[in-house]
mmCIF file of all heavy atoms in Angstrom:
data_model
loop_
_atom_site.group_PDB
_atom_site.id
_atom_site.type_symbol
_atom_site.label_atom_id
_atom_site.label_comp_id
_atom_site.label_asym_id
_atom_site.label_seq_id
_atom_site.Cartn_x
_atom_site.Cartn_y
_atom_site.Cartn_z
ATOM 1 N N SER A 275 68.744 17.872 23.242
ATOM 2 C CA SER A 275 69.285 18.707 24.321
ATOM 3 C C SER A 275 68.988 20.152 23.988
ATOM 4 O O SER A 275 69.069 20.538 22.824
ATOM 5 C CB SER A 275 70.804 18.540 24.426
ATOM 6 O OG SER A 275 71.130 17.218 24.749
ATOM 7 N N THR A 276 68.646 20.939 25.013
ATOM 8 C CA THR A 276 68.424 22.363 24.759
ATOM 9 C C THR A 276 69.453 23.192 25.514
ATOM 10 O O THR A 276 69.827 22.843 26.636
ATOM 11 C CB THR A 276 67.024 22.814 25.227
ATOM 12 O OG1 THR A 276 66.996 22.788 26.665
ATOM 13 C CG2 THR A 276 65.936 21.915 24.691
ATOM 14 N N GLY A 277 69.886 24.257 24.904
ATOM 15 C CA GLY A 277 70.797 25.182 25.596
ATOM 16 C C GLY A 277 71.746 25.859 24.622
ATOM 17 O O GLY A 277 72.388 25.192 23.808
ATOM 18 N N GLU A 279 74.456 27.116 25.359
ATOM 19 C CA GLU A 279 75.843 26.888 25.759
ATOM 20 C C GLU A 279 76.394 25.542 25.278
ATOM 21 O O GLU A 279 77.570 25.254 25.460
ATOM 22 C CB GLU A 279 75.950 26.974 27.301
ATOM 23 C CG GLU A 279 75.421 25.773 28.088
ATOM 24 C CD GLU A 279 73.897 25.723 28.248
ATOM 25 O OE1 GLU A 279 73.201 26.263 27.383
ATOM 26 O OE2 GLU A 279 73.413 25.106 29.210
ATOM 27 N N LEU A 280 75.559 24.726 24.652
ATOM 28 C CA LEU A 280 75.960 23.341 24.380
ATOM 29 C C LEU A 280 76.684 23.182 23.047
ATOM 30 O O LEU A 280 76.256 23.721 22.019
ATOM 31 C CB LEU A 280 74.737 22.422 24.393
ATOM 32 C CG LEU A 280 73.945 22.417 25.699
ATOM 33 C CD1 LEU A 280 72.730 21.509 25.571
ATOM 34 C CD2 LEU A 280 74.823 21.981 26.866
ATOM 35 N N ILE A 292 79.918 24.531 27.025
ATOM 36 C CA ILE A 292 80.239 23.207 27.587
ATOM 37 C C ILE A 292 79.792 22.144 26.575
ATOM 38 O O ILE A 292 79.019 22.438 25.672
ATOM 39 C CB ILE A 292 79.536 22.945 28.947
ATOM 40 C CG1 ILE A 292 78.005 23.039 28.790
ATOM 41 C CG2 ILE A 292 80.016 23.902 30.023
ATOM 42 C CD1 ILE A 292 77.230 22.446 29.953
ATOM 43 N N TYR A 293 80.314 20.948 26.767
ATOM 44 C CA TYR A 293 79.907 19.881 25.858
ATOM 45 C C TYR A 293 78.541 19.345 26.238
ATOM 46 O O TYR A 293 78.204 19.232 27.429
ATOM 47 C CB TYR A 293 80.939 18.745 25.872
ATOM 48 C CG TYR A 293 82.220 19.136 25.174
ATOM 49 C CD1 TYR A 293 83.426 19.232 25.872
ATOM 50 C CD2 TYR A 293 82.206 19.432 23.813
ATOM 51 C CE1 TYR A 293 84.589 19.614 25.230
ATOM 52 C CE2 TYR A 293 83.375 19.823 23.160
ATOM 53 C CZ TYR A 293 84.561 19.913 23.874
ATOM 54 O OH TYR A 293 85.706 20.297 23.236
ATOM 55 N N ASP A 294 77.778 18.979 25.234
ATOM 56 C CA ASP A 294 76.485 18.316 25.441
ATOM 57 C C ASP A 294 76.765 16.867 25.812
ATOM 58 O O ASP A 294 77.008 16.025 24.949
ATOM 59 C CB ASP A 294 75.664 18.394 24.148
ATOM 60 C CG ASP A 294 74.457 17.477 24.190
ATOM 61 O OD1 ASP A 294 73.972 17.184 25.304
ATOM 62 O OD2 ASP A 294 73.998 17.060 23.113
ATOM 63 N N SER A 295 76.758 16.573 27.095
ATOM 64 C CA SER A 295 77.017 15.196 27.533
ATOM 65 C C SER A 295 75.719 14.422 27.756
ATOM 66 O O SER A 295 75.708 13.198 27.752
ATOM 67 C CB SER A 295 77.867 15.195 28.807
ATOM 68 O OG SER A 295 77.220 15.915 29.830
ATOM 69 N N ASN A 296 74.608 15.137 27.930
ATOM 70 C CA ASN A 296 73.373 14.438 28.335
ATOM 71 C C ASN A 296 72.878 13.408 27.327
ATOM 72 O O ASN A 296 72.402 12.344 27.704
ATOM 73 C CB ASN A 296 72.248 15.452 28.606
ATOM 74 C CG ASN A 296 72.446 16.167 29.929
ATOM 75 O OD1 ASN A 296 73.332 15.796 30.703
ATOM 76 N ND2 ASN A 296 71.655 17.195 30.191
ATOM 77 N N ARG A 297 73.016 13.733 26.035
ATOM 78 C CA ARG A 297 72.511 12.767 25.055
ATOM 79 C C ARG A 297 73.304 11.464 25.099
ATOM 80 O O ARG A 297 72.801 10.413 24.719
ATOM 81 C CB ARG A 297 72.521 13.353 23.646
ATOM 82 C CG ARG A 297 71.316 14.252 23.378
ATOM 83 C CD ARG A 297 71.328 14.817 21.982
ATOM 84 N NE ARG A 297 72.584 15.494 21.701
ATOM 85 C CZ ARG A 297 73.319 15.280 20.612
ATOM 86 N NH1 ARG A 297 72.940 14.430 19.699
ATOM 87 N NH2 ARG A 297 74.458 15.943 20.443
ATOM 88 N N ASP A 319 68.469 27.785 22.637
ATOM 89 C CA ASP A 319 67.311 28.394 23.316
ATOM 90 C C ASP A 319 66.690 29.440 22.396
ATOM 91 O O ASP A 319 66.797 30.641 22.629
ATOM 92 C CB ASP A 319 67.762 29.039 24.641
ATOM 93 C CG ASP A 319 68.275 28.007 25.627
ATOM 94 O OD1 ASP A 319 67.619 26.968 25.818
ATOM 95 O OD2 ASP A 319 69.367 28.222 26.202
ATOM 96 N N SER A 341 66.348 17.539 27.544
ATOM 97 C CA SER A 341 67.039 17.908 28.773
ATOM 98 C C SER A 341 67.361 19.384 28.727
ATOM 99 O O SER A 341 67.656 19.934 27.666
ATOM 100 C CB SER A 341 68.309 17.075 28.987
ATOM 101 O OG SER A 341 69.309 17.463 28.095
ATOM 102 N N GLY A 342 67.247 20.012 29.900
ATOM 103 C CA GLY A 342 67.511 21.446 30.026
ATOM 104 C C GLY A 342 66.242 22.252 29.801
ATOM 105 O O GLY A 342 65.253 21.763 29.228
ATOM 106 N N GLY A 343 66.289 23.471 30.300
ATOM 107 C CA GLY A 343 65.204 24.415 30.001
ATOM 108 C C GLY A 343 63.919 24.247 30.798
ATOM 109 O O GLY A 343 62.917 24.858 30.450
ATOM 110 N N VAL A 344 63.946 23.422 31.844
ATOM 111 C CA VAL A 344 62.709 23.318 32.646
ATOM 112 C C VAL A 344 62.891 23.843 34.069
ATOM 113 O O VAL A 344 62.002 23.722 34.897
ATOM 114 C CB VAL A 344 62.150 21.869 32.700
ATOM 115 C CG1 VAL A 344 61.617 21.469 31.342
ATOM 116 C CG2 VAL A 344 63.174 20.871 33.205
ATOM 117 N N SER A 345 64.068 24.409 34.345
ATOM 118 C CA SER A 345 64.278 24.950 35.691
ATOM 119 C C SER A 345 63.649 26.337 35.785
ATOM 120 O O SER A 345 63.211 26.903 34.787
ATOM 121 C CB SER A 345 65.766 24.998 36.023
ATOM 122 O OG SER A 345 66.430 25.767 35.063
ATOM 123 N N GLU A 348 64.204 29.196 33.257
ATOM 124 C CA GLU A 348 63.840 29.059 31.855
ATOM 125 C C GLU A 348 62.429 28.527 31.644
ATOM 126 O O GLU A 348 61.955 28.497 30.526
ATOM 127 C CB GLU A 348 64.823 28.101 31.163
ATOM 128 C CG GLU A 348 66.233 28.642 31.106
ATOM 129 C CD GLU A 348 67.213 27.523 30.835
ATOM 130 O OE1 GLU A 348 67.348 26.634 31.695
ATOM 131 O OE2 GLU A 348 67.848 27.541 29.771
ATOM 132 N N PRO A 374 63.535 20.214 39.193
ATOM 133 C CA PRO A 374 62.622 20.651 38.122
ATOM 134 C C PRO A 374 62.417 19.532 37.108
ATOM 135 O O PRO A 374 63.371 18.923 36.624
ATOM 136 C CB PRO A 374 63.373 21.823 37.475
ATOM 137 C CG PRO A 374 64.813 21.583 37.752
ATOM 138 C CD PRO A 374 64.907 20.710 38.976
ATOM 139 N N LEU A 388 63.508 16.722 31.183
ATOM 140 C CA LEU A 388 64.465 16.447 32.256
ATOM 141 C C LEU A 388 65.249 17.705 32.565
ATOM 142 O O LEU A 388 65.489 18.526 31.676
ATOM 143 C CB LEU A 388 65.459 15.351 31.812
ATOM 144 C CG LEU A 388 64.900 14.062 31.205
ATOM 145 C CD1 LEU A 388 66.059 13.137 30.805
ATOM 146 C CD2 LEU A 388 63.968 13.368 32.174
ATOM 147 N N PRO A 389 65.699 17.855 33.811
ATOM 148 C CA PRO A 389 66.568 18.989 34.119
ATOM 149 C C PRO A 389 67.886 18.876 33.343
ATOM 150 O O PRO A 389 68.265 17.791 32.907
ATOM 151 C CB PRO A 389 66.807 18.861 35.624
ATOM 152 C CG PRO A 389 66.285 17.536 36.044
ATOM 153 C CD PRO A 389 65.433 16.986 34.955
ATOM 154 N N GLY A 390 68.564 19.990 33.170
ATOM 155 C CA GLY A 390 69.780 20.003 32.353
ATOM 156 C C GLY A 390 70.996 19.447 33.052
ATOM 157 O O GLY A 390 71.880 18.859 32.407
ATOM 158 N N ASN A 391 71.089 19.615 34.371
ATOM 159 C CA ASN A 391 72.271 19.116 35.059
ATOM 160 C C ASN A 391 72.430 17.621 34.799
ATOM 161 O O ASN A 391 71.469 16.860 34.965
ATOM 162 C CB ASN A 391 72.162 19.356 36.573
ATOM 163 C CG ASN A 391 72.683 20.725 36.938
ATOM 164 O OD1 ASN A 391 73.785 21.108 36.531
ATOM 165 N ND2 ASN A 391 71.881 21.488 37.676
ATOM 166 N N PRO A 392 73.621 17.192 34.382
ATOM 167 C CA PRO A 392 73.777 15.817 33.908
ATOM 168 C C PRO A 392 73.352 14.740 34.912
ATOM 169 O O PRO A 392 72.706 13.773 34.524
ATOM 170 C CB PRO A 392 75.268 15.721 33.590
ATOM 171 C CG PRO A 392 75.640 17.124 33.208
ATOM 172 C CD PRO A 392 74.817 18.016 34.097
HETATM 173 P P1 AMP B 799 69.050 24.092 32.589
HETATM 174 O O1 AMP B 799 68.186 22.985 33.138
HETATM 175 O O2 AMP B 799 68.857 24.298 31.123
HETATM 176 O O3 AMP B 799 68.906 25.326 33.403
HETATM 177 O O4 AMP B 799 70.549 23.597 32.764
HETATM 178 C C1 AMP B 799 71.077 23.328 34.062
HETATM 179 C C2 AMP B 799 72.553 23.064 33.970
HETATM 180 O O5 AMP B 799 72.781 21.894 33.191
HETATM 181 C C3 AMP B 799 73.347 24.160 33.310
HETATM 182 O O6 AMP B 799 74.591 24.256 33.964
HETATM 183 C C4 AMP B 799 73.514 23.662 31.894
HETATM 184 O O7 AMP B 799 74.645 24.204 31.253
HETATM 185 C C5 AMP B 799 73.676 22.165 32.116
HETATM 186 N N1 AMP B 799 73.255 21.421 30.959
HETATM 187 C C6 AMP B 799 72.090 21.583 30.300
HETATM 188 N N2 AMP B 799 72.003 20.728 29.265
HETATM 189 C C7 AMP B 799 73.142 20.008 29.276
HETATM 190 C C8 AMP B 799 73.642 18.965 28.444
HETATM 191 N N3 AMP B 799 72.952 18.510 27.418
HETATM 192 N N4 AMP B 799 74.850 18.432 28.736
HETATM 193 C C9 AMP B 799 75.555 18.890 29.795
HETATM 194 N N5 AMP B 799 75.132 19.861 30.617
HETATM 195 C C10 AMP B 799 73.948 20.436 30.360
#
Side-chain angles (χ1 to χ4, degrees):
S275 298
T276 70
E279 76 281 27
L280 302 178
I292 59 165
Y293 288 115
D294 167 26
S295 58
N296 285 352
R297 279 180 306 130
D319 295 313
S341 73
V344 291
S345 57
E348 295 162 295
L388 310 179
N391 273 310

